[in-house]
Amino acid sequence: MRRMSRGPRLAMFMGLCALGGCAEHSPFGTFMDSTKNCTEMVLRGDIQTVAQVREQRFLGKVPETTARCLGGKRVENLREEPWLDWPNYWAAGDATSLAPARLLSDAKVIGPNAHGINAALYELELQRIELIKFNLFDNNKTYQAYMTGRDGEAGPVLNTWPEMRLPESHPDFKAVGGDQTQVCRGELIRFRTLTGMCNDIRNPLMGSTHQLFARNVEFDTTFPDLSLNEMTKNRHGDRLGLLKPDPQVISRKLFTRKQSKPVVSLDKSQQDKCREGYGLPDSAKEAECDYEKAPFFNVLAAFWIQFMTHDWFAHLKEGHNRPEWMVVGCATQLVQNIEQPVTGEEAKRLGCRPDDKIDAASIAEGTKPETFTQGGKTHLTRAPKTTANHVTAWWDASQLYGYDERSSRRVKRDPKDHAKLFMMPLKNGVSVGEELGYLPVFESADPINPEWSGQEATAFPDNWSIGMSFYHNVFAREHNVFVSEFRKQTARTPDADSGLRNPADPDRVIRYKDVTPDELFEVARLVVAAEIAKIHTIEWTTQLLYNEPLNRGMNANWGGVFAKHEAVAEALREVVRRLGDSEDAKKVNSLYAAFAAGPGIFGLGNRVYDGVPLVGLINPDKEDRWDLKNDDHINGGVNHFGSPFNFPEEFITVYRLHPLLPDLIEYREWDNEPNIIRHKMPVIETIRGKATEAMRQKGLSNWALSMGRQRLGALTLQNHPQFLQNLKMNRLQSSTRQIDVAALDLIRDRERGVPRYNEFRRQYGLKQLTSFDDFVDTRVPRNSSVRLKQEQLVKTLREVYGQHQCDASKKITEAQLNDDKSPINDCLGHPNGSLIDNIEDVDTVVGWLAEFRRPHGFAISETQFVVFILNASRRLFSDRFFTSSFRPEFYSALGVEWVTKNGPGPEMIEEGAPNGHQQPISPMKRVLLRTMPELAEELQGVVNAFDPWARDRGEYYSLEWKPREGAEKDEAFANK
Ligand code: HEM
């Protein structure tokens, strides 16, 4: 471990203290209360610092004294395992993780609990900094400049790239400066543009529709199936291929949900109650499709993330891939480590289909990439193949508003008020929410893929489901509610300054009455997009990662931890000022990231004070000099860390979250005894046009209640929905017209060259596994049913992926070294020549689903999480509208207030102190209350809209499944 010298140690420790909020009393509160172990640890400098080179990275493992200081004996015992240490620190779990004989409030202020949380936050920040430093690989030919620098400037601080200029053929080429320096100005920077261009005013193309996906892993580790270099050959031998190991066999053996009311039963009295996800006739409530449930996350949360991904990325263009049809497996399997064909009988037994076919993934560039040499090493300039993102990469609500000309034609504006989206009330007078209406349905003239006919008209209609219908209607209502409120304000104060300005005419005050319907439409879009980003960051994610360190971490990302701590903020400004002079470009970037956690990423740079380099903090005593005429102010808050922003291919992999979906939705009615489940509605009967039908028949608030109360599926093996393994799609050119989406998830990752699980972890700075047994959660008691199931699954992994005789002379990675600094070889620490598990071959999705050991309250695995740490914050850091342009000039005064306070008027505070925090009523709850006021009673006890609505949240991050007061009769609590 590298130790720190005294000065930086103090700064880092301050950062640690501050990140955890221990500064509430004094910035040195944690210091003062250190236990002996902790004091020793700090004085000896046992604090890991940012690695200089890749092989020295922090792998989430700390020395023994540190472990004992932060979590007592329990942590020590778990240190030998590959998983992160921080989840075992004091107070990082539920009430049982709190240090003995300490009060709950300790977790917030001082003592072991504060140590635990602060250290966890410190380690998370360290990981983020190292991820920024080692995991950015852009495919747009900027990588060489990132490595070698340009015109005397170091690569990691470059912030404009020729590759991000508009080409001559672009209609706005001249407007941004043509052949000269390109800068977007005037109308082009006023609102979010349709294609996402000009978000960064000096990099017009960045993040726009059809730009290439980036990578987070070294280019030469991608496409392992192609055996392009010695290292991948050593790592995988000849064991990999597009259909090797067979994806449908993997799906059927490792992904299928086991049913207690089986599909094939000799006992006639035992009816099949799932029927591959189709349930029973008339959606009878007696239907049953078993699934493993996550008790602290609801079905609304599952569909939320599908709704988000439709905004962020799409490999498919208008619902299509390349028009080239390929078989998808169900052809071979390993039997006792030997590959054998799958016979017809065997296919039947497994449930897979050899005749399924799918269109192959689109590839943007497949030619051999160029190379360059630096420091004696040859690097690829891009991955061996690249793919394009066919929507904007920005968090701009493009799924609602459009991402190109064609998709924008699917968005209907209200003919009576052009600022609004067109919504049609269907059941007048039933409730306030109903009056706000529903999206219209596509008309025959609309530019759509025929599969989408009958669906609600919106920009991104692919893979439409009841959940997509839900969120598109909710946020269309929210858009209109904002417009109505703006109009009310206009009626009250027509001559008052709206706060808006036109960058093309920056000195002109725009009064409320001057705002045109088109301008107001765009302002509402900005507000809705920012609200969505806020909901995702501080409400959805804090429930996905339900523990105290992440609660603080995510809130820090958004609002910062220093808003109320000016003294600490000043100290940090000083640190940053000094670091700003540093010549080490990567260091500057790292520290920028770390200290942005002070003021929060959101709003970074939207205030400018004389002589203060750290942007973003609100300082009421100083004059804000932010100026719309100053390009550096408009764009000054963004930081791309030397690599243009787009999502990496690896990000899509960890969002393949299909197991979240149940097969059946437990349907309830808000005005008719919500505790009773009335129907079990198959999700498969509520997709595409049928979603629209179901939405209109049953109504938004009944679906809100139903999905709000039901638990979603746990992200684990053997928990994929039956209906997605047997999905029918008309566009498929095969005899079956069906596809196993779970198997397709593996195929797509292979087509796009995602490294397999173990190298994926090494690339992201996580410890490798050395056998399938490492997946077993050793904290679970031996012989318990949970442990036995995990051990059984490990056997199945071994059966499916096989074993090989290892060769210690073969080096398999350059990302990490063994603890003794020797290269990692094919034997992974086992004796040369021994039979070892093919852990290197495990598909990444399979690997992260197999992580039975999770940090407390994590619905996802640590491998997925580390991908989010990097990309979720980059998505905020890079977006001008979430940083320096989050200003009334763009959002209007009302818009800024709406996003900041979760709606109009004064901030509303939640009752009590959930998990020890007094907090505003959450943003999604406020949206639900505005768009469906009839749910007010149901939502009264709800603190987080993504926690099952009838669950008692208990004292401190409890995951228990027990009813809150008033919901004791809810049927969902009868069957655990
Ligand atoms: C009824 C619900 C759903 C249906 C019918 C559905 C269907 C599909 C299909 C057919 C594909 C494959 C497209 C292809 O590569 O050819 C796909 C991809 C995907 N699905 Fe789903 N899905 C559903 C829900 C979800 C949910 C809840 C998530 C959660 C995040 C999700 C995340 C993804 C992702 C990340 C991809 C890859 C997209 C890309 O490559 O750009 N899906 N889905």
Side-chain angles (χ1 to χ4, degrees), residues 576-872:
V576 172
R577 196 177 357 250
R578 286 189 199 167
L579 290 162
D581 300 335
S582 164
E583 296 205 336
D584 179 344
K586 285 205 170 185
K587 199 188 238 175
V588 173
N589 264 345
S590 306
L591 286 145
Y592 183 90
F595 290 109
I601 304 171
F602 192 83
L604 205 62
N606 70 354
R607 309 226 165 204
V608 176
Y609 305 118
D610 275 342
V612 179
L614 182 64
V615 284
L617 284 164
I618 295 177
N619 189 334
D621 303 329
K622 289 201 167 120
E623 192 189 343
D624 176 14
R625 294 189 172 278
W626 195 97
D627 183 358
L628 187 58
K629 284 179 254 176
N630 187 330
D631 292 343
D632 288 337
H633 291 184
I634 294 168
N635 218 49
V638 299
N639 194 334
H640 316 303
F641 306 104
S643 197
F645 172 70
N646 210 311
F647 292 105
E649 203 60 74
E650 290 69 30
F651 189 70
I652 287 81
T653 309
V654 296
Y655 274 106
R656 297 191 177 280
L657 304 179
H658 291 120
L660 293 179
L661 294 173
D663 281 290
L664 306 172
I665 297 186
E666 297 167 359
Y667 178 75
R668 303 157 187 267
E669 289 168 353
W670 68 272
D671 56 353
N672 186 16
E673 188 41 78
N675 286 331
I676 293 178
I677 296 167
R678 309 228 156 241
H679 293 286
K680 299 262 184 72
M681 312 281 292
V683 178
I684 187 70
E685 299 288 6
T686 57
I687 62 169
R688 306 194 190 106
K690 286 185 186 172
T692 309
E693 226 175 279
M695 178 53 66
R696 287 164 166 237
Q697 259 176 26
K698 308 275 183 209
L700 200 59
S701 25
N702 287 331
W703 285 111
L705 170 74
S706 306
M707 297 193 282
R709 284 215 179 184
Q710 187 176 350
R711 286 163 290 178
L712 54 56
L715 289 169
T716 187
L717 290 176
Q718 293 188 343
N719 206 26
H720 269 75
Q722 301 256 329
F723 82 91
L724 279 181
Q725 285 182 310
N726 305 296
L727 189 67
K728 291 189 182 119
M729 293 206 278
N730 283 337
R731 74 179 181 84
L732 296 179
Q733 292 182 10
S734 63
S735 55
T736 63
R737 300 250 154 158
Q738 273 179 296
I739 194 73
D740 177 342
V741 176
L744 189 57
D745 277 334
L746 307 178
I747 295 173
R748 293 299 188 219
D749 275 1
R750 294 178 186 180
E751 287 180 286
R752 295 170 188 143
V754 174
R756 299 291 169 101
Y757 179 70
N758 232 16
E759 181 62 17
F760 190 97
R761 278 179 65 86
R762 287 189 291 254
Q763 287 286 321
Y764 275 97
L766 294 171
K767 288 242 345 156
Q768 66 186 15
L769 276 62
T770 58
S771 93
F772 297 130
D773 296 320
D774 286 342
F775 282 121
V776 173
D777 185 351
T778 54
R779 296 168 307 180
V780 178
R782 282 178 195 281
N783 295 323
S784 64
S785 61
V786 174
R787 178 82 176 247
L788 291 174
K789 187 173 174 202
Q790 291 179 6
E791 286 165 357
Q792 184 53 47
L793 283 165
V794 161
K795 277 194 195 145
T796 313
L797 278 165
R798 196 164 282 134
E799 174 195 319
V800 169
Y801 283 97
Q803 295 180 304
H804 74 281
Q805 208 163 24
C806 74
D807 179 349
S809 70
K810 288 181 174 166
K811 179 178 165 182
I812 62 164
T813 185
E814 293 202 312
Q816 294 181 16
L817 296 170
N818 288 315
D819 291 344
D820 64 3
K821 308 287 175 242
S822 61
I824 293 176
N825 66 51
D826 180 43
C827 288
L828 297 170
H830 300 282
N832 189 22
S834 55
L835 195 63
I836 68 158
D837 287 340
N838 293 338
I839 183 84
E840 293 299 329
D841 301 350
V842 170
D843 292 272
T844 294
V845 170
V846 174
W848 56 251
L849 284 170
E851 283 178 40
F852 304 124
R853 169 91 165 267
R854 303 262 164 103
H856 175 82
F858 265 42
I860 54 168
S861 67
E862 65 171 44
T863 305
Q864 289 168 288
F865 174 58
V866 81
V867 182
F868 299 157
I869 298 179
L870 174 58
N871 295 290

Side-chain angles (χ1 to χ4, degrees), residues 169 221 529:
S169 55
T221 65

Side-chain angles (χ1 to χ4, degrees), residues 154-384:
V157 289
L158 292 176
N159 52 22
T160 51
W161 299 272
E163 291 80 4
M164 295 294 125
R165 292 167 60 90
L166 292 188
E168 208 171 337
S169 55
H170 195 285
D172 290 308
F173 176 70
K174 282 217 173 84
V176 299
D179 288 335
Q180 307 299 307
T181 303
Q182 291 193 348
V183 183
C184 306
R185 293 212 172 89
E187 289 292 339
L188 282 177
I189 66 166
R190 199 171 176 195
F191 300 118
R192 291 192 176 276
T193 56
L194 179 60
T195 61
M197 68 172 216
C198 291
N199 186 314
D200 181 321
I201 67 172
R202 298 195 177 94
N203 293 288
L205 270 189
M206 188 165 68
S208 64
T209 306
H210 306 314
Q211 287 287 292
L212 298 180
F213 282 112
R215 308 295 311 213
N216 274 171
V217 296
E218 289 169 288
F219 292 139
D220 55 12
T221 65
T222 62
F223 296 91
D225 314 23
L226 304 181
S227 291
L228 293 175
N229 55 53
E230 208 51 34
M231 212 74 77
T232 46
K233 281 184 202 152
N234 286 351
R235 199 181 307 132
H236 303 291
D238 60 357
R239 300 185 298 269
L240 301 188
L242 181 62
L243 299 178
K244 221 169 116 174
D246 192 300
Q248 282 201 61
V249 171
I250 295 174
S251 168
R252 295 294 161 171
K253 291 188 179 177
L254 285 166
F255 290 167
T256 303
R257 279 179 182 158
K258 299 266 180 277
Q259 297 301 314
S260 58
K261 307 290 182 305
V263 178
V264 182
S265 168
L266 295 177
D267 175 3
K268 291 272 184 260
S269 68
Q270 200 181 13
Q271 192 188 1
D272 176 4
K273 293 190 173 175
C274 182
R275 300 196 309 141
E276 295 192 338
Y278 281 82
L280 294 176
D282 303 323
S283 308
K285 73 180 278 191
E286 289 70 32
E288 271 177 59
C289 287
D290 294 334
Y291 68 109
E292 194 174 326
K293 305 169 182 89
F296 55 97
F297 222 22
N298 63 18
V299 174
L300 280 182
F303 283 120
W304 173 267
I305 193 59
Q306 189 188 11
F307 179 58
M308 287 302 91
T309 60
H310 290 175
D311 181 356
W312 302 331
F313 55 77
H315 279 102
L316 279 72
K317 218 171 173 177
E318 293 293 292
H320 290 286
N321 299 288
R322 188 153 38 116
E324 190 181 296
W325 295 86
M326 60 182 194
V327 291
V328 286
C330 189
T332 62
Q333 62 179 335
L334 286 186
V335 178
Q336 289 174 350
N337 219 22
I338 297 166
E339 193 171 277
Q340 308 260 324
V342 169
T343 61
E345 208 171 292
E346 187 63 7
K348 223 171 173 180
R349 195 185 66 76
L350 285 169
C352 65
R353 294 176 297 268
D355 295 332
D356 280 9
K357 285 196 179 125
I358 193 79
D359 43 357
S362 304
I363 299 295
E365 296 154 298
T367 53
K368 205 170 166 198
E370 288 176 19
T371 57
F372 66 96
T373 310
Q374 197 217 14
K377 204 181 157 201
T378 303
H379 302 269
L380 300 179
T381 50
R382 61 159 169 83

Side-chain angles (χ1 to χ4, degrees), residues 517-551:
D518 280 345
E519 286 168 345
L520 184 51
F521 181 87
E522 296 301 339
V523 170
R525 174 185 182 166
L526 274 169
V527 169
V528 166
E531 269 190 301
I532 286 176
K534 185 173 186 183
I535 291 166
H536 186 86
T537 308
I538 66 162
E539 191 164 357
W540 185 84
T541 309
T542 54
Q543 199 60 36
L544 172 91
L545 312 170
Y546 190 50
N547 63 39
E548 181 65 10
L550 266 297
N551 189 347

